[in-house]
Amino acid sequence: QVQLVESGGGLVQPGGSLTLSCVGSGFDFSFYHMNWYRQSPGKAREFVAKIVSGGTTTNYADSVRGRFTVSRDDARNTVYLSMENLNAEDTAKYYCNFEGVRAQNYWGQGTQVTVSS
């Protein structure tokens, strides 16, 4: 069955960096656009970044543009989110996602990122 497994979260100081990974299985990973979302307690889940199939185009939320980079390695069925210059507002649980056939959305279990001194 379809699975998305995120990893790489943790505690980081303000100004620090982290790289998240998401490994997909059970579907043709290279065919789909892949997304990263995040959710903080009490807030709605929000879009962070997208990379299209083939990796030629990326999109970012205004709040992360210039600090975050999304990339993919289709040979490893993995999408990455490299995060730099992190601040407290980046504290959230980060999820990878794709929209499959018939507009069904698939989500991983998430990985927690906490930015704190």
Side-chain angles (χ1 to χ4, degrees), residues 10-16 18 86-92 113-117:
L11 174 65
V12 61
Q13 292 188 341
L18 275 178
L86 288 160
N87 58 62
E89 288 69 40
D90 298 316
T91 294
V113 173
T114 302
V115 184
S116 176
S117 55

Side-chain angles (χ1 to χ4, degrees), residues 1 18 22 24-26 30 41-42 47-48 50 55 69 74 77 92 96 109-110 115:
Q1 75 275 22
L18 275 178
C22 172
S25 60
S30 64
F47 168 78
V48 175
K50 173 182 178 177
T69 303
D74 290 342
N77 284 4
C96 70
Q109 83 291 346
V115 184

Side-chain angles (χ1 to χ4, degrees), residues 38 47-49 60-69 90 94:
R38 65 186 182 185
F47 168 78
V48 175
Y60 298 93
D62 289 344
S63 59
V64 308
R65 188 175 292 112
R67 300 186 298 121
F68 289 14
T69 303
D90 298 316
Y94 285 72

Side-chain angles (χ1 to χ4, degrees), residues 79-109:
V79 60
Y80 302 97
L81 186 68
S82 296
M83 308 182 293
E84 298 180 343
N85 196 19
L86 288 160
N87 58 62
E89 288 69 40
D90 298 316
T91 294
K93 197 163 192 177
Y94 285 72
Y95 300 86
C96 70
N97 153 274
F98 76 100
E99 184 177 296
V101 297
R102 292 181 291 277
Q104 181 171 357
N105 270 283
Y106 295 89
W107 299 90
Q109 83 291 346

Side-chain angles (χ1 to χ4, degrees), residues 44-75:
R45 193 169 293 189
E46 64 173 354
F47 168 78
V48 175
K50 173 182 178 177
I51 185 165
V52 302
S53 171
T56 53
T57 302
T58 56
N59 293 318
Y60 298 93
D62 289 344
S63 59
V64 308
R65 188 175 292 112
R67 300 186 298 121
F68 289 14
T69 303
V70 60
S71 59
R72 65 191 297 160
D73 183 341
D74 290 342

